[in-house]
Each structure stands twice: as C-alpha cells, then as structure tokens.
Amino acid sequence: MAKIAVFNQKGGVGKTTTTLNVAALLARRGGDPLVLDLDPQGHLTGICGAAVAAPERSLYGFYSSGASLGGLIKFVDNLGWKIIPSHLDLSKVDTQFGRGHNVLNRLNSGIIRENLNTDRPILMDICPMLGVLSLNGIFAADRVLIPISADYLAVRGAAQMERTLRALEHVLKKRVERRYLLTRFDGRRKMSWDIDQQLRARYGAEVCETRIAENVSLAESPSFNRDVFGHAPASRGAQDYSALLDELERGRFLQ
Ligand code: ADP
Ligand code: MG
C-alpha cells in the first residue's frame, strides 16, 4: 500500500498534526497504519507516549546497528495504531552516514526487505531540514503530502518545495506524486483566500480541495495524548481531517 511522506521544509505548518490525524482516522476506519517518526524532535512520538530512553530502540537503532524495523514497532494503545519512535540521536544520522545513494535508499530498502507495507499504509512525519534522514523518508515514499500553513510565507514555501521535489525527481528518475494541503486556514482573513487562490492557480489539481481550518481542538488534543477524533469528535478539526481522508481515498492517494 501507499508510503506517504508528510513533508515541508518549513516548521510549524501542520506536518505532525496531519500525520497524527490521518493515521488516527485510517485506524478508526479499520486500517492498520504504520507511522514512522522521522523527526529527531520526536513530537509525534511524545504525543503517542512512545518515547524510548535507549536510542537503539528508536528508529536510530535501524541506522546505527542495523536493527530490524519490525522489531522497533510500538503499538500505541490509546490511539490504536503503530509507530516506530524517534529519538534525539536521530539528528546524528545526517553527519554519521555520508550521502551516497545506498545511504539515501536505506529506509526504502528496509521497508521492502521486511515487507512492512504489503497490507498497510505507511505514513512518515518528516523533519523540516533537508538531510540524510528526511531524504530517506522521501526516497522511501511513493507520494508526498505537503501541508502549507495559510500564512504570508505560504506561497514562497510551496515554491521552495516544488523546486526541492523537482531536483529530487532528477535523482529518483520519476515524478513524485504530491498533494498540497492548506492548513490553519482562517476564512475570516482575506489573506487565507488569496493564498488558496494562488496555490490553486499554480498547482491546480495537486492542491487538496479540503482545507484544514485553524481549530483549537487540533491544537489542544496532543496535550491530552489524543488525536482530534478521540478528543473532540464533533469539532471542525475532526470534520476537516475526515473530509481530507475521504478525498485522499477517492483520489486513490492512500492505496
Ligand atoms: P509541524 O509538524 O509542521 O512543525 P505541527 O503539526 O506541530 O507542525 O503544528 C505546529 C503548531 O500548530 C502545533 O502547536 C499545532 O498544534 C498547531 N496546529 C497545527 N495545525 C493546526 C490547526 N489546523 N489549527 C490550530 N492549530 C494547529
Ligand atoms: Mg512536526
């Protein structure tokens, strides 16, 4: 099934929020998503209560000592899905392992070797910096979901992402299927609508029809170690992510 990298070189745009809630809804709809936390900051790992003290028991163990990915999976009881946790030591991956093609393909090889996504989608929460770790995620992905926060740098951020993906496509020798997702949308602001219009004019059908509104339940739920569906199922945030999943399923983006 699909391997999706949730990526934007900008921080604070909703990558972790999107990974959390898409995984949550996939699980609630009977799927068995596996989430890889590829951000050394480990925010998603923290929200899941899946933090590990020993770096070897996180994704870092896969890079440092060749631990099997399967052996690093943790089931998150309160959320109902599985995660391979991050650890701050993952920030060392960028300096420790060089940049050869084998290194950049390492995660992809591991996922394929262990048949990790034969019958389940994989979601990867990617750190904002472009380095060995994030490139591992993008090389492993067959699709990229790019949250764009509806603030004044949004259009510039999208243009930067487009340049990055085009440069990578030369190396990967294929087009990376992508969807831009407008997040933190505030319909009362003219700026939000301007950004919406500019993104659609530039990227057309690659912009999700669904917009994720600025919503307090989305911001609050992580502090209760919950996704928005467990925290506030009737909230605007829950409705928006539900609509997003419907749209991605209709577009076969998750298959
Ligand atoms: P990233 O992973 O890209 O750095 P996050 O998902 O952590 O971004 O979001 C950054 C901050 O914005 C977090 O505090 C998060 O709770 C909040 N946030 C994200 N999306 C929304 C939204 N739609 N409405 C309100 N707050 C949001
Ligand atoms: Mg994040």
Short mmCIF file of all heavy atoms in Angstrom, two decimals, residues 11 18 28 55 59 74 79 93 106 115 126 128 134 138 142 159 166 171 178 180-181 192-193 199 201 237-238 246 254:
data_model
loop_
_atom_site.label_atom_id
_atom_site.label_comp_id
_atom_site.label_asym_id
_atom_site.label_seq_id
_atom_site.Cartn_x
_atom_site.Cartn_y
_atom_site.Cartn_z
N GLY A 11 8.90 24.64 9.29
CA GLY A 11 8.37 24.07 10.52
C GLY A 11 7.03 24.71 10.86
O GLY A 11 6.69 25.77 10.31
N THR A 18 -1.06 16.65 10.90
CA THR A 18 -1.65 15.92 9.78
C THR A 18 -1.33 14.42 9.87
O THR A 18 -2.22 13.58 9.70
CB THR A 18 -1.15 16.52 8.44
OG1 THR A 18 -1.59 17.88 8.38
CG2 THR A 18 -1.67 15.76 7.24
N ARG A 28 -9.18 4.13 12.72
CA ARG A 28 -10.60 4.09 13.09
C ARG A 28 -11.46 3.50 11.99
O ARG A 28 -12.54 2.98 12.25
CB ARG A 28 -11.11 5.51 13.42
CG ARG A 28 -10.74 5.90 14.83
CD ARG A 28 -11.01 7.36 15.09
NE ARG A 28 -10.37 7.72 16.36
CZ ARG A 28 -11.01 7.74 17.53
NH1 ARG A 28 -12.29 7.49 17.58
NH2 ARG A 28 -10.36 8.03 18.63
N PRO A 55 18.40 5.05 22.65
CA PRO A 55 18.28 5.39 21.22
C PRO A 55 18.19 4.16 20.32
O PRO A 55 17.53 4.21 19.28
CB PRO A 55 19.57 6.19 20.93
CG PRO A 55 20.41 6.12 22.14
CD PRO A 55 19.58 5.67 23.28
N LEU A 59 14.07 4.51 15.91
CA LEU A 59 14.49 4.36 14.51
C LEU A 59 16.01 4.48 14.38
O LEU A 59 16.61 3.95 13.44
CB LEU A 59 13.79 5.43 13.67
CG LEU A 59 13.94 5.33 12.16
CD1 LEU A 59 13.37 4.01 11.64
CD2 LEU A 59 13.24 6.50 11.49
N LYS A 74 6.16 0.00 17.89
CA LYS A 74 5.42 0.01 19.15
C LYS A 74 3.94 0.23 18.86
O LYS A 74 3.59 1.06 18.02
CB LYS A 74 5.90 1.15 20.06
CG LYS A 74 7.32 0.93 20.56
CD LYS A 74 7.70 1.98 21.57
CE LYS A 74 7.25 1.58 22.96
NZ LYS A 74 7.68 2.55 23.99
N LEU A 79 -4.21 5.23 20.98
CA LEU A 79 -4.57 5.73 19.66
C LEU A 79 -4.95 4.62 18.69
O LEU A 79 -5.62 4.85 17.69
CB LEU A 79 -3.42 6.56 19.08
CG LEU A 79 -3.02 7.79 19.91
CD1 LEU A 79 -1.82 8.49 19.30
CD2 LEU A 79 -4.18 8.77 20.01
N VAL A 93 22.21 11.11 12.37
CA VAL A 93 22.22 10.34 11.11
C VAL A 93 22.79 11.19 9.98
O VAL A 93 23.54 10.70 9.13
CB VAL A 93 20.80 9.84 10.77
CG1 VAL A 93 20.70 9.30 9.35
CG2 VAL A 93 20.38 8.75 11.76
N ARG A 106 18.39 3.67 2.18
CA ARG A 106 18.41 2.68 3.25
C ARG A 106 17.03 2.36 3.84
O ARG A 106 16.67 1.20 4.02
CB ARG A 106 19.33 3.21 4.36
CG ARG A 106 19.91 2.14 5.19
CD ARG A 106 21.20 2.62 5.76
NE ARG A 106 21.48 1.87 6.95
CZ ARG A 106 22.56 2.02 7.68
NH1 ARG A 106 23.46 2.92 7.36
NH2 ARG A 106 22.74 1.30 8.75
N ASN A 115 8.92 -6.30 4.08
CA ASN A 115 7.51 -6.31 3.63
C ASN A 115 6.60 -5.52 4.55
O ASN A 115 5.48 -5.96 4.87
CB ASN A 115 6.97 -7.75 3.57
CG ASN A 115 7.65 -8.53 2.47
OD1 ASN A 115 7.87 -8.00 1.39
ND2 ASN A 115 8.00 -9.76 2.76
N ILE A 126 8.11 13.81 8.54
CA ILE A 126 9.49 14.13 8.17
C ILE A 126 9.92 15.45 8.80
O ILE A 126 9.14 16.40 8.84
CB ILE A 126 9.59 14.25 6.63
CG1 ILE A 126 8.89 13.07 5.96
CG2 ILE A 126 11.02 14.44 6.17
CD1 ILE A 126 9.72 11.94 5.56
N PRO A 128 11.81 19.09 9.18
CA PRO A 128 11.85 20.17 8.18
C PRO A 128 13.18 20.31 7.44
O PRO A 128 13.20 20.79 6.33
CB PRO A 128 11.55 21.44 8.99
CG PRO A 128 11.28 21.02 10.38
CD PRO A 128 11.55 19.58 10.53
N SER A 134 15.66 13.08 6.26
CA SER A 134 14.44 13.44 5.51
C SER A 134 14.49 12.86 4.11
O SER A 134 13.46 12.39 3.59
CB SER A 134 14.24 14.96 5.48
OG SER A 134 15.41 15.61 5.12
N ILE A 138 11.77 10.61 1.94
CA ILE A 138 11.23 10.96 0.62
C ILE A 138 11.59 9.88 -0.41
O ILE A 138 10.77 9.53 -1.26
CB ILE A 138 11.73 12.35 0.20
CG1 ILE A 138 11.17 13.39 1.18
CG2 ILE A 138 11.28 12.69 -1.21
CD1 ILE A 138 11.86 14.70 1.14
N ASP A 142 6.20 6.84 -1.95
CA ASP A 142 5.75 6.93 -3.33
C ASP A 142 4.86 8.16 -3.52
O ASP A 142 4.55 8.51 -4.64
CB ASP A 142 5.08 5.64 -3.83
CG ASP A 142 4.29 4.93 -2.77
OD1 ASP A 142 3.62 5.60 -1.99
OD2 ASP A 142 4.37 3.70 -2.72
N ALA A 159 6.64 27.19 -3.34
CA ALA A 159 7.55 27.28 -4.48
C ALA A 159 8.88 26.60 -4.14
O ALA A 159 9.47 25.90 -4.98
CB ALA A 159 7.77 28.74 -4.85
N ARG A 166 11.45 18.88 -7.57
CA ARG A 166 11.93 18.74 -8.96
C ARG A 166 13.38 18.31 -8.98
O ARG A 166 13.78 17.48 -9.81
CB ARG A 166 11.75 20.05 -9.71
CG ARG A 166 10.29 20.29 -9.99
CD ARG A 166 10.05 21.18 -11.18
NE ARG A 166 8.62 21.39 -11.28
CZ ARG A 166 8.04 22.54 -11.54
NH1 ARG A 166 8.78 23.60 -11.79
NH2 ARG A 166 6.73 22.62 -11.61
N VAL A 171 17.10 12.84 -9.50
CA VAL A 171 17.85 11.73 -8.89
C VAL A 171 16.99 10.46 -8.91
O VAL A 171 17.46 9.37 -9.23
CB VAL A 171 18.24 12.08 -7.43
CG1 VAL A 171 19.09 10.97 -6.82
CG2 VAL A 171 18.95 13.42 -7.38
N ARG A 178 2.33 14.24 -5.62
CA ARG A 178 2.19 15.08 -4.44
C ARG A 178 0.85 15.78 -4.35
O ARG A 178 0.17 15.98 -5.35
CB ARG A 178 3.28 16.14 -4.43
CG ARG A 178 3.38 16.92 -5.75
CD ARG A 178 4.70 17.58 -5.74
NE ARG A 178 5.27 18.18 -6.87
CZ ARG A 178 6.13 17.61 -7.70
NH1 ARG A 178 6.40 16.34 -7.62
NH2 ARG A 178 6.72 18.30 -8.64
N TYR A 180 -0.68 19.24 -2.20
CA TYR A 180 -0.53 20.34 -1.25
C TYR A 180 -1.80 20.43 -0.42
O TYR A 180 -2.90 20.32 -0.96
CB TYR A 180 -0.31 21.65 -2.01
CG TYR A 180 1.04 21.70 -2.69
CD1 TYR A 180 1.19 21.32 -4.02
CD2 TYR A 180 2.17 22.10 -2.00
CE1 TYR A 180 2.43 21.34 -4.65
CE2 TYR A 180 3.42 22.13 -2.61
CZ TYR A 180 3.54 21.75 -3.93
OH TYR A 180 4.77 21.77 -4.54
N LEU A 181 -1.62 20.62 0.89
CA LEU A 181 -2.78 20.69 1.79
C LEU A 181 -2.73 22.00 2.56
O LEU A 181 -1.78 22.25 3.31
CB LEU A 181 -2.74 19.51 2.79
CG LEU A 181 -3.75 19.59 3.93
CD1 LEU A 181 -5.18 19.45 3.40
CD2 LEU A 181 -3.47 18.50 4.98
N SER A 192 -6.00 34.35 3.75
CA SER A 192 -6.20 32.90 3.59
C SER A 192 -6.78 32.60 2.20
O SER A 192 -6.34 31.67 1.53
CB SER A 192 -7.14 32.35 4.66
OG SER A 192 -6.48 32.26 5.90
N TRP A 193 -7.76 33.41 1.78
CA TRP A 193 -8.39 33.18 0.48
C TRP A 193 -7.44 33.49 -0.66
O TRP A 193 -7.41 32.80 -1.68
CB TRP A 193 -9.69 34.01 0.36
CG TRP A 193 -10.75 33.51 1.30
CD1 TRP A 193 -11.16 34.10 2.44
CD2 TRP A 193 -11.50 32.30 1.18
NE1 TRP A 193 -12.13 33.34 3.06
CE2 TRP A 193 -12.36 32.22 2.30
CE3 TRP A 193 -11.53 31.26 0.24
CZ2 TRP A 193 -13.24 31.17 2.51
CZ3 TRP A 193 -12.42 30.21 0.45
CH2 TRP A 193 -13.25 30.16 1.56
N LEU A 199 -2.33 29.26 -4.74
CA LEU A 199 -1.87 27.86 -4.79
C LEU A 199 -2.61 27.08 -5.87
O LEU A 199 -2.02 26.32 -6.63
CB LEU A 199 -2.08 27.17 -3.43
CG LEU A 199 -1.10 27.52 -2.32
CD1 LEU A 199 -1.44 26.72 -1.07
CD2 LEU A 199 0.34 27.23 -2.73
N ALA A 201 -4.05 28.29 -8.52
CA ALA A 201 -3.65 28.77 -9.85
C ALA A 201 -2.33 28.12 -10.27
O ALA A 201 -2.13 27.75 -11.41
CB ALA A 201 -3.53 30.28 -9.84
N GLY A 237 -12.05 20.57 13.36
CA GLY A 237 -10.79 19.88 13.02
C GLY A 237 -11.06 18.42 12.64
O GLY A 237 -10.51 17.91 11.66
N ALA A 238 -11.92 17.75 13.42
CA ALA A 238 -12.25 16.34 13.11
C ALA A 238 -12.97 16.25 11.77
O ALA A 238 -12.69 15.38 10.95
CB ALA A 238 -13.11 15.76 14.24
N ASP A 246 -11.44 11.27 3.14
CA ASP A 246 -12.38 10.89 2.07
C ASP A 246 -11.80 11.27 0.71
O ASP A 246 -11.80 10.48 -0.23
CB ASP A 246 -13.73 11.61 2.23
CG ASP A 246 -14.50 11.13 3.45
OD1 ASP A 246 -14.16 10.05 3.96
OD2 ASP A 246 -15.43 11.85 3.88
N LEU A 254 -4.05 6.88 -1.10
CA LEU A 254 -3.62 6.07 0.04
C LEU A 254 -3.49 4.59 -0.30
O LEU A 254 -3.21 3.78 0.57
CB LEU A 254 -4.62 6.24 1.19
CG LEU A 254 -4.70 7.65 1.78
CD1 LEU A 254 -5.94 7.82 2.63
CD2 LEU A 254 -3.47 7.94 2.62
#
